[in-house]
């Protein structure tokens, strides 16, 4: 094919732009992944793309041809446009040869099976307007050994499970060693666990431990590599709950994700055995081997809530908090907005009281809303609203509609930050809108704050 089409990525993971993006060199794709603002590298760089959208976004000439020839499409939002936008803003359309190459690539992708993808390299013979063409496709990372270290993206926050992986290895190492004293044990640990965890030989001995090691690699892998590692983990042990979690997180259909999370919960129960749920209830997260089960159950609860099965989700959230009252997973931050939105104020009040020392914006604004529901515009309600504003004044702008939430929410925040405000407003918006008079009260009762001097970072 043309040199400009030899490397491609499937667009759509972000949920906004769908199609194919092409690169002339692999390094160009890596640069986009590493860029803090990828759009600046993609716009006007003279790369080919095939984008899907509504017919209103097609050039008039394309629209006429599409209707004249009755060409097929997958849906109303799936009209394709192929173009190359130059650095000067000029638009180049494909000639006959380029169009034939694009057709062959699209047909090869459309006909590809899951098994072919898992092989990492595959060839399909496709029929095009210019006759049959063989197309070879390859995902290089899938051809690497399973124990190859993942390619990390600079600037991306490491997954917390990487620390858990180190803890698991230390526990296994300690279990099979016999040290005279604590100093000898510490010295051995320092010597054994020096450097990157991926570069150290694994201490796994059982199929489940080997499967879990693959998942620890999968959490920092990208794209199809995650799925490959998760499937290999299940081949080693069907009791690997985290493998189902990884596949569920990559699933497109909600029903498929729910099914995978449920399989993960069942796998975790098999791996742990029935006794541990009563014997260790209240101390569950402190046992590393329980964490895959906890992740699967939290994923299932969130999936059920998104599907409208809210009561079932609440039951799972409450059981997770029973097993792990210290709430290392942040379940309460999900449960509180859900209880308030569902009008389960008694349960919300008990949860607020249970974690009364929580200093997050979600908790402070949750207290204020709950108190307003019970007492109206009382002094206590106003006091709690003032506490909430002191905790994070930015939340008001989003709850009152003076600022719009971004389409993509942040994945990290600091107390009092704009990022925390976005997450808090997104969590509590439904509950706030469902409370009669709360919007008006928020505007009237909003306390005045003293202006602060700006400081440079």
């Amino acid at each position: 094919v043309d040199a400009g089409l030899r490397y491609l990525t499937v667009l759509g993971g972000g949920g906004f732009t769908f199609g194919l993006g092409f690169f002339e060199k692999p390094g160009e794709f890596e640069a986009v992944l590493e860029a803090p603002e990828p759009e600046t590298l993609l716009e006007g760089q003279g790369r080919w793309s095939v984008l899907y959208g509504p017919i209103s976004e097609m050039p008039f000439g394309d629209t006429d041809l599409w209707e004249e020839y009755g060409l097929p499409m997958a849906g109303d939002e799936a009209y394709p446009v192929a173009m190359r936008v130059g650095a000067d803003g000029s638009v180049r359309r494909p000639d006959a040869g380029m169009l034939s190459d694009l057709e062959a690539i699209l047909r090869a992708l459309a006909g590809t099976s899951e098994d072919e993808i898992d092989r990492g390299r595959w060839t399909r013979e496709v029929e095009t307007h210019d006759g049959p063409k063989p197309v070879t496709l390859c995902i290089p990372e899938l051809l690497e050994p399973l124990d190859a270290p993942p390619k990390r993206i600079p600037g991306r926050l490491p997954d917390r499970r990487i620390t858990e992986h180190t803890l698991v290895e230390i526990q296994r190492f300690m279990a099979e060693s016999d040290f005279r004293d604590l100093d000898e044990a510490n010295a051995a640990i320092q010597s054994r666990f020096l450097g990157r965890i991926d570069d150290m030989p694994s201490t796994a001995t059982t199929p489940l431990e080997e499967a879990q090691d693959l998942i620890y690699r999968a959490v920092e892998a990208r794209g199809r590599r995650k799925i490959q590692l998760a499937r290999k983990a299940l081949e080693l042990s069907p009791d690997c709950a985290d493998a189902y979690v990884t596949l569920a997180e990559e699933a497109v259909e909600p029903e498929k994700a729910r099914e995978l999370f449920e399989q993960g919960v069942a796998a975790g129960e098999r791996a742990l055995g029935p006794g541990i749920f009563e014997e260790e209830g209240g101390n569950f997260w402190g046992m590393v081997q329980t964490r895959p089960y906890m992740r699967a159950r939290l994923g299932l609860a969130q999936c059920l809530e998104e599907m409208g099965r809210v009561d079932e989700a609440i039951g799972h959230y409450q059981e997770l908090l029973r097993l792990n009252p210290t709430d290392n997973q942040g379940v309460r931050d999900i449960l509180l907005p859900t209880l308030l939105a569902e009008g389960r104020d008694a349960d919300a009040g008990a949860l607020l009281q249970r974690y009364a020392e929580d200093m997050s914006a979600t908790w402070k604004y949750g207290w204020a809303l709950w108190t307003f529901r019970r007492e109206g515009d009382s002094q206590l309600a106003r006091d709690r609203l003032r506490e909430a504003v002191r905790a994070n004044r930015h939340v008001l702008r989003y709850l009152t509609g003076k600022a719009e939430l971004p389409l993509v929410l942040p994945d990290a925040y600091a107390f009092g930050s704009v990022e925390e405000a976005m997450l808090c407003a997104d969590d509590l918006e439904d509950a706030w809108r469902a409370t009669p008079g709360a919007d008006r009260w928020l505007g009237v009762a909003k306390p005045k704050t003293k202006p602060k001097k700006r400081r440079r970072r």
Side-chain angles (χ1 to χ4, degrees), residues 306-326:
E306 291 172 4
M307 297 174 69
R309 296 163 61 174
V310 182
D311 286 342
E312 292 177 69
I314 289 174
H316 286 294
Y317 292 141
Q318 291 173 331
E319 178 63 9
L320 284 167
L321 289 177
R322 183 192 74 81
L323 292 171
N324 177 34
T326 55

Side-chain angles (χ1 to χ4, degrees), residues 415-456:
F415 285 137
S417 67
V418 173
E419 290 77 16
E420 183 195 32
M422 292 176 181
L423 295 169
C424 172
D426 182 66
D427 287 340
L428 292 175
E429 185 177 28
D430 289 343
W432 216 280
R433 302 290 177 262
T435 306
D439 284 343
R440 185 173 61 256
W441 174 71
L442 189 64
V444 171
K446 182 175 65 175
K448 295 180 180 180
T449 57
K450 294 182 180 179
K452 296 183 179 179
K453 293 182 179 180
R454 294 187 178 91
R455 293 185 300 173
R456 295 185 182 274

Side-chain angles (χ1 to χ4, degrees), residues 185-378:
N186 286 332
I189 290 173
Q190 291 290 334
S191 175
R192 171 68 172 74
F193 296 96
L194 182 65
R196 285 176 42 170
I197 187 69
D198 291 324
D199 298 332
M200 302 174 192
S202 173
T203 59
T205 57
T206 68
L208 179 56
E209 290 174 346
E210 292 172 356
Q212 187 65 40
D213 276 3
L214 284 182
I215 294 303
Y216 286 135
R217 292 183 179 276
V219 296
E220 288 211 308
R222 63 191 189 192
R224 189 71 185 196
R225 181 69 163 177
K226 280 180 179 285
I227 296 175
Q228 182 195 43
L229 291 171
R231 287 179 172 169
K232 291 293 183 182
L234 287 177
E235 289 178 11
L236 290 170
S237 173
D239 293 341
C240 183
D242 260 343
Y244 292 106
V245 171
T246 301
L247 292 174
E249 290 172 344
E250 296 295 313
V252 176
E253 298 296 331
E255 183 59 32
K256 182 61 176 177
R258 180 201 60 77
E259 178 184 326
L260 287 164
F261 279 126
E262 283 188 344
Q263 289 178 282
V265 170
E269 290 172 346
R270 292 194 302 270
L272 294 172
I276 193 173
F277 289 89
E278 294 302 326
E279 296 167 5
E280 298 295 338
N283 185 42
F284 229 57
W285 192 259
M287 307 174 66
V288 181
Q289 65 267 33
T290 67
R291 296 182 186 182
Y293 167 82
M294 299 287 277
R295 284 190 282 267
R297 191 156 188 180
L298 177 57
L300 175 60
Q302 292 178 291
C303 194
L304 289 170
E305 184 174 0
E306 291 172 4
M307 297 174 69
R309 296 163 61 174
V310 182
D311 286 342
E312 292 177 69
I314 289 174
H316 286 294
Y317 292 141
Q318 291 173 331
E319 178 63 9
L320 284 167
L321 289 177
R322 183 192 74 81
L323 292 171
N324 177 34
T326 55
D327 191 21
N328 303 76
Q329 294 176 285
V331 174
R332 63 181 181 268
D333 293 327
I334 306 170
L335 178 57
L336 177 62
T338 302
L339 292 173
L340 291 171
E342 291 297 305
R344 294 176 58 164
D345 289 359
D347 289 332
L351 187 66
L352 284 164
Q353 191 61 52
R354 182 177 180 183
Y355 297 99
E357 302 302 317
D358 194 316
M359 301 301 292
S360 69
T362 296
W363 224 247
K364 295 296 186 181
Y365 280 90
W367 264 120
L369 179 61
W370 181 82
T371 308
F372 175 77
R373 283 184 172 185
R374 291 173 61 87
E375 302 181 5
D377 187 19
S378 68

